Amino acid sequence: MKRNILFIFLFIMSIAAVHAQEKKSYTLEDVIPGGNNYANLRPKNITGLQWWGDVCIRADVETINEVDIKTGKETVLVTLDEVNEALQSGEKPYKLDFKIKPLRTLDSASMPWKDRKTIAFLGRVEMGERNEIYMFWYDFAQKKITNMFRIQGNGANLDFCKENGCMAYTVGRHLFVAKEGDFPAQINSVCTGCKEDPEKDVIYGQAVHRNEFGIYKGTFWSPKGSYLAFYRMDQSMVTDYPQVNTSTRIATLEPDKYPMAGMTSHKVTVGIYDVKSKRTIYLQTGDPTNRYFTNVSWSPDEKHVYIIELNRDQNHAQLVSYNAVTGEKEAILYEEKHTRYVEPQHPLIFLPWDETKFIYQSQRDGFNHLYIMDTEAAQQGEWKSGKDQEAQYCEYLKTVPLTQGEWLVKSVLGFNGARKEIIITSTELSPLQTNVFALSTKNGKRALIGSGEGVHAAQVSASGNYIIDSFTSSKVGRSISILPANGKKGTNLLTASDPMEEQFNMPEISVGTIKAADGVTDLYYRLIKPVDFDPSKKYPAVIYVYGGPHAQMIHDTRFYDARGWDLYMAQKGYVMLTVDSRGSDNRGIRFENVTFRHLGVEEMKDQVKGAEFLKSLPYVDSNRIGVHGWSFGGFMTTNLMLTYPDIFKTGVAGGPVIDWKYYEVMYGERYMDTPETNPEGYKGSDLKQKAGNLKGRLEIIIGGTDPTCVPQHTYTFLRACINAGTHPDLFIYPEDGHNMVGRDRVHLHEHITRYFEDHLK
């Protein structure tokens, strides 16, 4: 009997050994976005999940299904064939003078009206060489098209309002509204100023201020759809940066409007379009010169428009109320100052059960938190200091802090009106995580919804009783569930393993902390050991770095956020390290703004602590340490190679900032002030001044028409190196921007790998 048990044990072990040997090596095609096999190696997903009121639906290629929130069972609501049959039939609300292309998929459909069995689709029409967009509504109870309208060619920045059935969109620099019930669409030019301002440098309805301050769009529908607020941006005074398109027979000049730090910036105004009267007025904000208008929001009754206004120094924010009908300035409701900078990122959110109160988000106490302000409780303002002593604030409305602590609220997802709760995500459990909580407005208590690990993304149902929760962690490839918002157990729709773990021989990845250069602050690091690690060997090491604001490189996600290239280099026999230095995201304002006016200094000190950590590991060859990063990470890579040439042997810097006076106004001046007011800081962060320090091998890689870190950074650095007698290498991706995508991205990482293989290994 014992012999049989032993035989079975040995047999199982031999099978396991064979299975382990069968695990293969991965290639860049497997791990880089754009690679031929990349999509096949992601953890399984369920796409198209969304809420139709409190009903969960899934929009797939062939069908739209209702998902039972208790069992996860799916029932077909609509099929692709049914929709296409209705599109091709003669029964339509309008006589068409063109052919409608059949839909190929339903996965982009939405159901915006919780009380209507109506699905909204975007599609395209066939009109010769013209490529136009149409929107139509399909009633799946009547099985027919009930409304449709056409959006003129090249329409972009689409913003649909379900309350009035109108679509705002832009064509070129102009803004239009297509009205429900008009077909062909009665296109109304919102920007009557388009006729008044024929200059090509005036743009309507698009994001302004170079997408800083949380700005990602340029149109804002009022709650009932009566009005459309929109940005008007005059760039006529902004210098053209001469980008060159080399793909034409003779290279073509295609300039960008690029206001560099300290230079003249654009001027922004906010218009209000009345859908019924078709009239446009502009808010009376005063002279827009050297001012930023951010986070546009509406009062529930549509009588007031709110803007958070910043001065050019970005150290004084004012929440201002305007009359939506006359455009007149009504009142300053809140002010905030900081000796370094104030950075509003979120518009106001009114409580659905009390339209007199709204949520304001601020970092005045050191971390982003929520504050409830009462519009019916005006008070005499008094300047006070925040918990961050460099912050001051003045409240002209009664204000109650709703969240507090050394963690931050990341987003407001929705509300549960019955329980007077706000559904939020936060870093309360760990700076490496994003978890979902139900926050009581009565007492500020928070109840965790779903798992207490990983990084979560969630959608809240109309009532706030349920959420669709999707998360990943270092232990879970992907998990998707429908959860009750009361914290009780819900219905799991998917728990996916990781195909890479199953198919490939993977490296060991660990996360820990080291002390920052200040000797006090804990910094998170991610360490990846080589595949088939041998502790008796000496390995080369590469630090992958970013280090700048609004970025965090380490999370409790799949592979702790390690990129495919990091894993690939571990397979090539490199130790890979990343450290989230001071200056990076999600650790509070003091952690971030320690770099103020001297970008690169404190961050580099922390990265050197990372290099010292590597040197302390017995399996790392301290003479073969490299560094790689992109954008701010490219700036850091170049700076580390020049400032600490005896530590770093090889570097690859992608899209680097070389001289901050060549970077754009909003970002550059927030963290560095202007070149005129901070000459010492700009000089200290000007890498041309250090060009003669280069000892190791440094390659710079850029997109030929990079609109973010313009090519001038790199060209001036090369000239400085020539003058200093040093020899960096250069590789350019013609016509690419700040990042490479598709097949170019695979080629990019092949190239980076070759450089380290040639000069570090």
Side-chain angles (χ1 to χ4, degrees), residues 151-408:
I151 298 166
Q152 66 183 53
N154 302 315
N157 300 300
L158 275 60
D159 189 359
F160 177 65
C161 178
K162 66 180 182 180
E163 283 74 22
N164 64 16
C166 291
M167 176 76 79
Y169 64 95
T170 62
V171 178
R173 62 186 177 86
H174 299 303
L175 171 63
F176 299 92
V177 170
K179 291 180 64 178
E180 174 184 1
D182 293 339
F183 197 88
Q186 175 63 46
I187 304 298
N188 301 300
S189 175
V190 171
C191 52
T192 54
C194 292
K195 297 178 181 178
E196 300 166 7
D197 300 295
E199 297 89 353
K200 61 186 173 83
D201 296 328
V202 180
I203 296 173
Y204 295 81
Q206 299 183 36
V208 298
H209 304 320
R210 297 191 65 82
N211 297 78
E212 295 290 337
F213 316 108
I215 297 170
Y216 66 94
K217 58 182 294 191
T219 53
F220 312 90
W221 285 107
S222 63
K224 301 173 186 177
S226 303
Y227 304 96
L228 177 72
F230 61 91
Y231 280 129
R232 176 189 184 275
M233 177 169 62
D234 184 352
Q235 300 186 101
S236 59
M237 67 292 297
V238 177
T239 302
D240 287 336
Y241 184 86
Q243 300 282 15
V244 178
N245 179 358
T246 60
S247 66
T248 56
R249 175 64 179 84
I250 296 176
T252 307
L253 187 65
E254 297 180 357
D256 288 332
K257 286 294 183 181
Y258 195 91
M260 292 184 178
M263 298 178 69
T264 302
S265 186
H266 54 246
K267 297 180 181 180
V268 170
T269 48
V270 178
I272 307 295
Y273 173 72
D274 186 319
V275 175
K276 186 176 181 179
S277 70
K278 301 181 183 180
R279 292 182 60 252
T280 298
I281 59 103
Y282 283 88
L283 301 186
Q284 298 171 25
T285 57
D287 185 358
T289 304
N290 294 330
R291 296 170 67 197
Y292 300 127
F293 300 105
T294 76
N295 300 286
V296 177
S297 50
W298 284 90
S299 63
D301 61 9
E302 302 186 314
K303 293 181 179 179
H304 313 282
V305 178
Y306 305 98
I307 301 176
I308 304 177
E309 303 178 8
L310 259 74
N311 60 337
R312 178 151 178 175
D313 286 342
Q314 300 180 53
N315 57 12
H316 184 188
Q318 295 180 320
L319 171 61
V320 184
S321 172
Y322 290 90
N323 185 296
V325 175
T326 66
E328 294 178 338
K329 183 177 179 177
E330 295 175 326
I332 297 174
L333 306 181
Y334 176 76
E335 294 187 78
E336 187 173 328
K337 297 179 181 180
H338 198 286
T339 58
R340 302 192 181 196
Y341 52 83
V342 179
E343 192 176 8
Q345 293 282 319
H346 308 279
L348 311 186
I349 305 175
F350 278 81
L351 300 180
W353 56 84
D354 187 346
E355 295 185 347
T356 67
K357 296 182 177 65
F358 61 80
I359 299 169
Y360 189 89
Q361 301 189 46
S362 170
Q363 296 189 85
R364 74 190 198 191
D365 289 333
F367 295 82
N368 188 62
H369 281 298
L370 307 185
Y371 300 83
I372 300 292
M373 296 187 178
D374 189 339
T375 60
E376 293 191 345
Q379 62 185 26
Q380 184 70 36
E382 177 184 351
W383 284 96
K384 300 177 182 178
S385 294
K387 291 181 181 177
D388 178 351
Q389 293 299 309
E390 294 185 80
Q392 291 183 304
Y393 62 92
C394 187
E395 300 165 345
Y396 301 100
L397 300 176
K398 181 182 178 182
T399 302
V400 178
L402 191 57
T403 59
Q404 300 177 70
E406 294 188 359
W407 51 273
L408 55 94

Side-chain angles (χ1 to χ4, degrees), residues 587-652:
R587 297 287 302 277
I589 190 65
R590 280 182 172 271
F591 187 90
E592 180 187 274
N593 69 23
V594 69
T595 67
F596 182 61
R597 300 188 101 222
H598 296 279
L599 287 177
V601 177
E602 299 302 320
E603 305 99 308
M604 281 200 301
K605 292 177 183 178
D606 288 349
Q607 295 300 326
V608 167
K609 288 297 179 182
E612 292 173 357
F613 169 65
L614 283 174
K615 289 182 177 183
S616 73
L617 302 175
Y619 49 84
V620 169
D621 184 343
S622 60
N623 294 315
R624 291 187 294 163
I625 296 178
V627 58
H628 167 52
W630 203 272
S631 193
F632 197 99
F635 162 70
M636 289 287 290
T637 295
T638 309
N639 211 354
L640 287 164
M641 290 290 295
L642 302 176
T643 308
Y644 301 96
D646 295 326
I647 295 178
F648 298 97
K649 181 181 179 182
T650 305
V652 177

Side-chain angles (χ1 to χ4, degrees), residues 510-582:
S510 59
V511 166
T513 61
I514 59 174
K515 288 297 180 185
D518 63 6
V520 177
T521 308
D522 286 330
L523 305 176
Y524 287 98
Y525 71 80
R526 179 184 62 238
L527 182 71
I528 308 176
K529 292 181 179 178
V531 173
D532 298 323
F533 174 69
D534 182 348
S536 66
K537 288 185 177 180
K538 288 283 189 178
Y539 295 98
V542 175
I543 294 177
Y544 176 70
V545 62
Y546 185 82
H550 294 296
Q552 181 182 355
M553 309 306 290
I554 306 164
H555 294 89
D556 181 18
T557 60
R558 182 184 188 229
F559 307 136
Y560 289 108
D561 259 8
R563 305 170 313 138
W565 183 76
D566 298 58
L567 304 177
Y568 183 70
M569 292 296 281
Q571 185 177 259
K572 286 281 189 180
Y574 293 82
V575 174
M576 301 297 294
L577 177 72
T578 290
V579 176
D580 275 326
S581 55
R582 289 171 297 155

Side-chain angles (χ1 to χ4, degrees), residues 105-124:
T105 177
L106 298 179
D107 60 4
S108 62
S110 64
M111 299 177 68
W113 300 280
K114 65 180 180 179
D115 55 350
R116 292 164 60 178
K117 292 186 176 181
T118 303
I119 304 170
F121 297 92
L122 282 176
R124 295 193 177 275

